[in-house]
Amino acid sequence: MLCKKESITIHRKLPEVFKKAQDIAACFKDVSAYQKVEMLDQQGDGGEGEEGGKKSSHCSTIRIFGIPISYTSETVIKQNESINHRQIKGPLRGLKTTWMFDAIGEDTRVTVSHQLDLKIPVIGRWLELIVYTLFIKPLAKNFLVNMKQNMEEAK
């Protein structure tokens, strides 16, 4: 299983950053690889997911090397703490992505972690590293940089 993290510090207070981040469709709007993010369902006002947070699901289409790739994720939001995604349909089914939010004085550190287990004997770990290095890491860095720019320009 591959576990990797990327972090960035945003010069805004945690509640402001989290409020923007929990709008999943808007969050990916400025990430060039994302062509579409469609919210499928949401467990209403305070619906509780398995992990004790507000639960929703979304279908996303990204374009990698010009090829459109669609996937569906379940998301559990724990207010001002974390946003947890789990890919339930798509090429990386089972991929877990967690956005963690930590207050650092007046700033917020956002950490995006990925857990990927392709469960392919012998070559699985190598494939996980290749997929992470070529696809997941650049998308995560792009997402974090865009979030930082959008939040800090909004001052």
Side-chain angles (χ1 to χ4, degrees):
M1 176 186 297
L2 176 120
C3 299
K4 297 283 188 179
K5 295 180 182 181
E6 306 292 331
S7 294
I8 202 161
T9 299
I10 299 174
H11 302 295
R12 296 294 285 231
K13 292 183 178 182
L14 189 145
E16 294 175 62
V17 174
F18 196 87
K19 183 177 181 182
K20 170 106 174 159
Q22 68 184 351
D23 184 348
I24 306 301
C27 238
F28 289 118
K29 184 180 76 160
D30 295 322
V31 178
S32 60
Y34 278 83
Q35 301 298 299
K36 179 178 95 171
V37 177
E38 177 184 354
M39 299 309 292
L40 300 176
D41 64 21
Q42 206 161 347
Q43 287 187 355
D45 303 322
E48 295 297 312
E50 290 174 13
E51 293 118 31
K54 188 174 179 183
K55 189 174 182 180
S56 64
S57 62
H58 66 276
C59 180
S60 300
T61 302
I62 59 175
R63 194 169 287 278
I64 297 177
F65 301 124
I67 300 167
I69 299 169
S70 295
Y71 66 89
T72 302
S73 290
E74 286 184 338
T75 301
V76 176
I77 298 174
K78 294 182 183 178
Q79 194 64 33
N80 290 331
E81 183 183 320
S82 66
I83 299 175
N84 302 284
H85 305 278
R86 184 173 58 90
Q87 196 173 119
I88 57 174
K89 291 181 187 171
L92 299 177
R93 195 173 77 149
L95 170 68
K96 294 179 183 177
T97 304
T98 301
W99 305 348
M100 295 295 298
F101 299 82
D102 298 300
I104 302 173
E106 296 289 309
D107 299 336
T108 304
R109 181 178 57 231
V110 180
T111 302
V112 176
S113 66
H114 293 91
Q115 291 183 356
L116 178 61
D117 188 359
L118 294 178
K119 298 181 191 250
I120 300 172
V122 183
I123 63 168
R125 293 196 190 273
W126 290 312
L127 282 177
E128 291 165 1
L129 189 58
I130 290 168
V131 167
Y132 178 79
T133 303
L134 293 179
F135 306 109
I136 297 172
K137 183 177 182 178
L139 281 171
K141 283 188 170 272
N142 193 350
F143 165 74
L144 288 168
V145 167
N146 276 301
M147 177 181 265
K148 178 180 176 75
Q149 288 174 342
N150 289 338
M151 290 300 302
E152 291 179 358
E153 288 172 2
K155 279 188 174 182

